């Protein structure tokens, strides 16, 4: 006589009945569903042994319960994503959450290549140079008046040219008398020292550093015999073709400042009113 085939859980005979083995132990269908079947995340009912089951992120679903929570379409054979634990089909997700390309006004699909800049989004193929109309992709670009240029087009068509070397000025620089220079091209006319970030002045249209301008063009103070450059405390007093730094414009005898006061010339010197009256 053969051995009886009984359910390992309820011990009822399985002769002539369907059963499922778990770890080589037979279980009748009711016991299997009670012990091992999963509960559907959506309807909270048991997913029976003969039901099609779908599994996503540690959650189990009947195939007919695996649906978009917005439009209710089946996701069993459709691309989908999740939004705060809810399942969403690609169409609903794109409609509500995806950005639109500012160039073609179409949705940028999840997972597709895109470019974001200044709060706007483009399909990778839609972000093109305003000059040559070629896709910029991951290459460097330069914005100008709401347009975007690849570097060659910007340098050749848009960028201002350095007044000295005539090459494109793409970043930084110096503006002087409505002309632009590269910082390394803006030099003293006299000694050729760089003037960017340094005090400088001009003679006619030509820029000079303080030292060169002082030695070549600046008037000498009649008091200290050094150049009056206009830098620092640059105010000066002029009288009878002579100039003084304001701190140097003082009485020859008592050294009182004569700025804003009456004074008297005494040959090559100047005197205050009191010293002149003493004479």
């Amino acid at each position: 006589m053969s051995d009886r085939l009984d359910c390992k859980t309820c011990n009822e005979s399985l002769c002539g009945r369907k059963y499922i083995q778990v770890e080589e132990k037979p279980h009748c269908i009711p016991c299997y569903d009670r012990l091992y079947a999963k509960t559907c995340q959506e309807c909270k009912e048991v997913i029976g042994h003969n039901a099609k089951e779908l599994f996503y992120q540690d959650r189990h679903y009947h195939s007919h319960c695996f649906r978009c929570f917005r439009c209710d379409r089946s996701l069993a054979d459709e691309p989908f994503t999740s939004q705060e634990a809810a399942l969403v089909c690609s169409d609903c997700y794109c409609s509500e959450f995806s950005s639109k390309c500012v160039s073609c006004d179409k949705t940028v699909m999840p997972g597709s290549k895109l470019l974001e800049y200044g709060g706007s989004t483009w399909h990778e193929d839609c972000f093109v140079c305003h000059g040559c109309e070629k896709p910029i992709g991951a290459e460097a670009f330069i914005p100008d008046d709401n347009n975007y240029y690849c570097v060659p087009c910007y340098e050749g068509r848009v960028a201002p040219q350095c007044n000295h070397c005539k090459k494109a000025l793409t970043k930084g620089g110096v503006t002087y008398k409505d002309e632009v220079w590269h910082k390394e091209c803006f030099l003293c006319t006299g000694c050729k020292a760089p003037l960017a970030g340094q005090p400088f002045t001009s003679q006619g249209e030509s820029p000079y550093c303080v030292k060169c301008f002082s030695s070549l063009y600046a008037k000498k103070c009649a008091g200290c015999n050094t150049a009056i450059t206009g830098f620092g405390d640059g105010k000066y007093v002029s009288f009878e073709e002579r100039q003084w730094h304001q701190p140097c414009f003082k009485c020859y005898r008592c050294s009182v400042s004569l700025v804003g006061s009456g004074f008297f010339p005494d040959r090559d010197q100047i005197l205050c009113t009191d010293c002149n009256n003493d004479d």
Side-chain angles (χ1 to χ4, degrees):
M1 179 182 292
S2 60
D3 293 337
R4 283 174 53 88
L5 182 64
D6 297 333
C7 173
K8 196 66 179 176
T9 302
C10 67
N11 294 321
E12 290 186 7
S13 174
L14 297 176
C15 184
R17 299 171 60 188
K18 291 182 178 180
Y19 65 91
I20 299 173
Q21 290 200 138
V22 178
E23 297 180 353
E24 299 183 356
K25 298 175 182 179
H27 292 74
C28 66
I29 297 304
C31 286
Y32 174 84
D33 284 347
R34 178 170 54 84
L35 295 175
Y36 299 107
K38 304 297 183 181
T39 300
C40 176
Q41 176 73 21
E42 183 66 22
C43 69
K44 309 305 180 185
E45 294 183 4
V46 170
I47 304 173
H49 70 283
N50 58 346
K52 186 176 179 180
E53 178 181 343
L54 297 177
F55 174 77
Y56 176 69
Q57 290 187 347
D58 296 327
R59 290 173 288 177
H60 301 262
Y61 300 83
H62 292 106
S63 61
H64 60 271
C65 292
F66 196 66
R67 314 180 75 83
C68 173
F69 90 104
R70 292 195 176 278
C71 69
D72 204 39
R73 68 191 289 183
S74 173
L75 300 177
D77 298 306
E78 299 287 339
F80 67 92
T81 185
S82 61
Q83 185 70 21
E84 297 180 355
L87 302 174
V88 187
C89 69
S90 292
D91 289 344
C92 288
Y93 183 86
C94 291
S95 174
E96 185 162 351
F97 302 108
S98 291
S99 301
K100 281 193 174 183
C101 174
V102 297
S103 177
C104 68
D105 200 37
K106 294 181 180 179
T107 300
V108 180
M109 298 296 289
S112 61
K113 292 183 178 180
L114 58 84
L115 189 144
E116 294 178 314
Y117 178 77
S120 298
T121 304
W122 291 260
H123 294 108
E124 186 179 53
D125 292 339
C126 291
F127 189 66
V128 299
C129 171
H130 187 69
C132 64
E133 298 185 350
K134 293 180 180 179
I136 294 174
E139 300 296 323
F141 67 91
I142 300 172
D144 183 78
D145 290 337
N146 295 322
N147 295 315
Y148 304 92
Y149 294 86
C150 63
V151 173
C153 283
Y154 183 81
E155 291 182 350
R157 305 184 186 198
V158 182
Q161 290 189 334
C162 174
N163 191 54
H164 176 72
C165 70
K166 307 306 179 185
K167 294 181 180 179
L169 191 77
T170 58
K171 62 179 181 179
V174 176
T175 301
Y176 176 67
K177 291 188 180 295
D178 296 325
E179 299 288 350
V180 293
W181 282 261
H182 294 109
K183 290 182 179 180
E184 60 272 19
C185 292
F186 190 59
L187 308 175
C188 171
T189 305
C191 66
K192 308 303 180 186
L195 295 178
Q198 303 297 321
F200 68 91
T201 188
S202 63
Q203 180 65 21
E205 296 298 316
S206 301
Y208 286 87
C209 67
V210 176
K211 184 177 180 180
C212 287
F213 181 83
S214 299
S215 63
L216 294 173
Y217 302 107
K219 298 180 183 297
K220 296 293 192 294
C221 174
C224 67
N225 202 37
T226 61
I228 299 175
T229 63
F231 296 96
D233 187 7
K235 295 181 180 180
Y236 66 95
V237 177
S238 180
F239 175 69
E240 292 185 350
E241 299 184 357
R242 290 183 292 169
Q243 289 80 33
W244 290 260
H245 297 108
Q246 277 197 357
C248 297
F249 190 60
K250 54 190 176 183
C251 176
Y252 172 70
R253 291 183 183 173
C254 69
S255 299
V256 67
S257 173
L258 299 177
V259 177
S261 303
F263 63 92
F264 295 87
D266 182 22
R267 295 182 293 278
D268 292 335
Q269 306 299 331
I270 51 175
L271 300 173
C272 66
T273 302
D274 292 342
C275 290
N276 183 68
N277 291 338
D278 289 344
D279 290 342

